[in-house]
């Protein structure tokens, strides 16, 4: 552990910069070694004495019998029970024998023993050691007055020092750690603990550092199937009956996972199931898109009839797509009805009206003819609706009215019953005038 002297922050042994103040730890850090308790003295087990080891020479002497004991000495007088006063019996003295040679005794000397060198005689004087001389440098002559000075004060020649090689540029190594939650240094890419303020390698500030984050699929797998880490000392504490719901939920999750795997394999390997899934998904996506962000396309009728019509203003002019033509009912027709037919069943989502007369003749002025105010719509599928129309010129954009979803489906014709009108200026020549009726379908 390295302790920063500037702020007192504890850093790891392999950190280069302080994690709190960013100081260079080789200058402002102090390595602290945690003292370990002294181990207890180990008691050496008692060992039995080893038997004496006989050397080669001892074994040879023992084999040839050279280590026999010497002759026993003569016993002193008076030991055999004879008193001092009792004279010994007179016996003939044996002739003197020649003296026996002393027994030969051999001793072994270790090979490692060396005879100490003999001391030198006092008359031999020890020569003083020569002074050290640097290689390639001539020895400086010693003056007469310098002979008594110590060696440390005598001037000497100094050899030139060798040039120190320049330090090679330090190459940045690859990051050593990348753990989830670590802060990535933007300068060297090293991973740092989330509590650090400066990079552990280069000392760069970690204010804008990005945190390492696992991909979403790995987080999901770890959440579903990963092993939960517990704190030290954790023990399961069960209160009450066993958690049956937890086991059931675990079985349900496994069953759902198995169903998903089987469905995925069937989608990839069974063509009929693949097509059915694609069609169902396409319809569901289209329905959702239509409900959230629909597209409206125009749909045109193919035929038109009415209860009455003024000459030159037939019912077909209400669906021709031109704004300067119109359908006009006779003045005697108090309940005019316009019927528009389609070529096939359609789903109508909106309907729009352009009311009143339109044209260049004075009789075709907008205010000269009555305009529909309220109409009653009857669709071929039985759906009915009442609409209130805005009294605006036919040259203005058509105002569409949205119909409820799914009400006007599979429609083949629409009946438009005019119930009330806006009054004209002057004497009218018709009971009502409609310039254009438009329909839209949702896609």
């Amino acid at each position: 552990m390295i302790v920063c002297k500037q702020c007192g922050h504890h850093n790891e042994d392999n950190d280069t910069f302080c994690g709190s103040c960013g100081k260079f730890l080789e200058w402002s850090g102090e390595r602290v070694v945690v003292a370990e308790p002294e181990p207890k003295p180990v008691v050496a087990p008692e060992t039995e004495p080893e038997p004496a080891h006989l050397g080669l020479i001892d074994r040879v002497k023992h084999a040839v019998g050279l280590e026999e004991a010497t002759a026993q000495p003569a016993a002193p007088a008076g030991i055999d029970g004879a008193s001092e006063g009792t004279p010994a019996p007179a016996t003939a003295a044996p002739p003197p024998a020649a003296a026996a040679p002393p027994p030969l005794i051999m001793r072994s000397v270790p090979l490692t023993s060396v005879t100490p060198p003999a001391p030198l005689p006092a008359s031999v004087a020890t020569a003083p050691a020569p002074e050290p001389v640097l290689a390639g440098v001539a020895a400086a002559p010693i003056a007469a007055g310098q002979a008594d000075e110590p060696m440390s004060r005598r001037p000497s020649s100094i050899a030139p020092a060798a040039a120190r090689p320049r330090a090679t540029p330090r190459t940045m190594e690859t990051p050593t750690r990348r753990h989830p939650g670590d802060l990535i240094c933007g300068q060297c890419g090293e991973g740092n603990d989330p509590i650090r303020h400066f990079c552990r390698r280069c000392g760069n500030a970690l204010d804008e550092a990005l945190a390492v984050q696992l991909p979403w699929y790995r987080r999901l797998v770890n959440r579903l199937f990963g092993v939960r880490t517990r704190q030290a000392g954790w023990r399961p504490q069960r209160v009450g009956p066993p958690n049956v719901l937890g086991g059931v939920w675990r079985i349900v999750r496994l069953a759902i996972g198995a169903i998903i795997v089987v469905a995925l394999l069937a989608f990839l390997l069974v063509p009929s199931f693949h097509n059915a899934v694609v069609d169902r998904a396409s319809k569901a996506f289209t329905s959702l898109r239509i409900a959230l962000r629909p597209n409206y396309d125009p749909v045109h009728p193919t035929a038109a009839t009415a209860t009455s019509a003024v000459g030159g203003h037939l019912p077909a002019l209400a669906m021709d797509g031109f704004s300067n033509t119109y359908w006009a009912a006779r003045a005697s027709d108090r309940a005019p009805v316009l019927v528009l037919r389609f070529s096939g069943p359609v789903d109508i989502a909106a309907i729009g009206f352009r009311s009143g007369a339109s044209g260049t003749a004075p009789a075709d002025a907008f205010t000269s003819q009555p305009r529909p105010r309220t109409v009653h719509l009857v669709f071929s599928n039985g759906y009915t609706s009442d609409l209130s129309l805005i009294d605006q010129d036919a040259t203005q954009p058509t105002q569409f009215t949205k119909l409820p979803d799914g009400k006007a489906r599979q429609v083949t014709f629409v009946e438009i019953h005019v119930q009330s009108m806006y009054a004209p200026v002057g004497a009218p020549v018709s009971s009502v005038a409609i310039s254009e009726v438009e329909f839209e379908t949702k896609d």
Side-chain angles (χ1 to χ4, degrees):
M1 180 175 61
I2 301 176
V3 180
C4 180
K5 298 179 181 179
Q6 187 73 15
C7 62
H9 184 72
H10 292 186
N11 302 272
E12 298 180 3
D13 291 337
N14 56 352
D15 291 351
T16 308
F17 294 87
C18 179
S20 179
C21 64
K23 295 294 183 180
F24 191 49
L25 293 179
E26 292 188 7
W27 296 345
S28 63
E30 181 179 358
R31 189 178 298 275
V32 178
V33 179
V34 180
E36 298 182 357
E38 297 181 357
K40 296 181 179 180
V42 179
V43 180
E46 296 181 358
T47 57
E48 297 179 358
E50 297 182 357
H53 180 69
L54 298 179
L56 177 61
I57 298 176
D58 295 337
R59 291 199 300 270
V60 171
K61 290 190 301 181
H62 181 71
V64 297
L66 296 179
E67 290 185 353
E68 295 179 356
T70 57
Q72 297 291 336
I79 295 182
D80 293 337
S83 61
E84 296 180 357
T86 305
T91 57
L104 180 61
I105 299 175
M106 298 178 66
R107 297 181 179 179
S108 61
V109 180
L111 298 177
T112 56
S113 63
V114 179
T115 305
L120 295 176
S123 61
V124 180
T126 304
E131 297 182 2
V133 180
L134 296 178
V137 180
I142 302 175
Q146 296 178 354
D148 298 336
E149 294 184 0
M151 293 293 296
S152 60
R153 298 186 58 184
R154 295 179 185 179
S156 60
S157 300
I158 300 175
R164 298 179 59 184
R166 293 186 177 181
T168 57
R170 183 180 178 183
T171 58
M172 192 63 68
E173 301 176 355
T174 57
T176 58
R177 55 175 287 173
R178 286 289 179 87
H179 302 311
D182 283 358
L183 298 178
I184 303 302
C185 177
Q187 183 172 353
C188 65
E190 179 70 14
N192 299 269
D193 293 331
I195 61 174
R196 294 184 67 92
H197 303 286
F198 297 90
C199 179
R200 59 195 297 265
R201 171 187 285 184
C202 64
N204 187 36
L206 300 176
D207 296 337
E208 299 180 358
L210 300 178
V212 177
Q213 188 175 8
L214 291 176
W216 63 269
Y217 55 89
R218 290 190 59 183
R219 296 198 303 269
L220 179 61
V221 171
N222 292 340
R223 184 175 181 84
L224 294 179
F225 306 103
V227 179
R228 296 182 180 180
T229 57
R230 307 293 186 181
Q231 297 180 355
W234 180 87
R235 296 293 184 274
Q237 297 180 358
R238 178 178 295 175
V239 179
N243 188 8
V244 180
L245 294 179
V248 173
W249 173 239
R250 188 178 299 106
I251 296 175
V252 169
R253 286 190 300 177
L254 294 177
I256 292 175
I259 292 174
I260 292 175
V261 172
V262 172
L264 182 60
L265 294 177
F267 179 80
L268 296 176
L269 302 177
V270 181
S272 59
F273 183 76
H274 176 85
N275 297 333
V277 171
V278 170
D279 294 341
R280 184 69 60 85
S282 300
K283 291 180 180 179
F285 178 76
T286 303
S287 302
L288 183 62
R289 185 189 60 80
I290 290 175
L292 298 179
R293 194 173 182 179
N295 297 325
Y296 291 92
D297 299 328
V299 57
H300 302 282
T302 57
T305 57
T307 55
S308 61
V310 178
H313 301 285
L314 300 178
L317 299 178
M319 63 172 193
D320 59 353
F322 298 101
S323 59
N324 57 353
T325 59
Y326 61 94
W327 164 72
R330 294 179 182 179
S332 60
D333 191 357
R334 299 300 179 185
V337 178
L338 178 65
V339 181
L340 301 176
R341 300 183 181 275
F342 302 93
S343 60
V346 294
D347 297 337
I348 299 176
I351 184 172
F353 287 88
R354 289 186 180 182
S355 303
S358 61
T360 58
D364 297 336
F366 174 73
T367 59
S368 62
Q369 301 289 338
R371 287 88 58 194
R373 184 171 185 175
T374 59
V375 293
H376 179 70
L377 304 179
V378 179
F379 297 88
S380 60
N381 62 349
Y383 174 67
T384 61
S385 179
D386 295 331
L387 301 180
S388 297
L389 306 181
I390 300 174
D391 189 19
Q392 65 178 9
D393 191 359
T395 59
Q396 300 296 326
T398 305
Q399 299 292 332
F400 285 91
T401 302
K402 302 295 187 299
L403 301 178
D405 293 338
K407 297 296 183 180
R409 296 176 60 87
Q410 303 297 313
V411 175
T412 56
F413 65 88
V414 179
E415 296 179 359
I416 302 174
H417 299 261
V418 180
Q419 294 181 340
S420 62
M421 287 77 68
Y422 291 101
V425 177
V429 295
S430 64
S431 59
V432 68
I434 298 177
S435 176
E436 197 72 26
V437 180
E438 301 178 8
F439 299 92
E440 287 183 344
T441 182
K442 187 185 294 185
D443 186 12

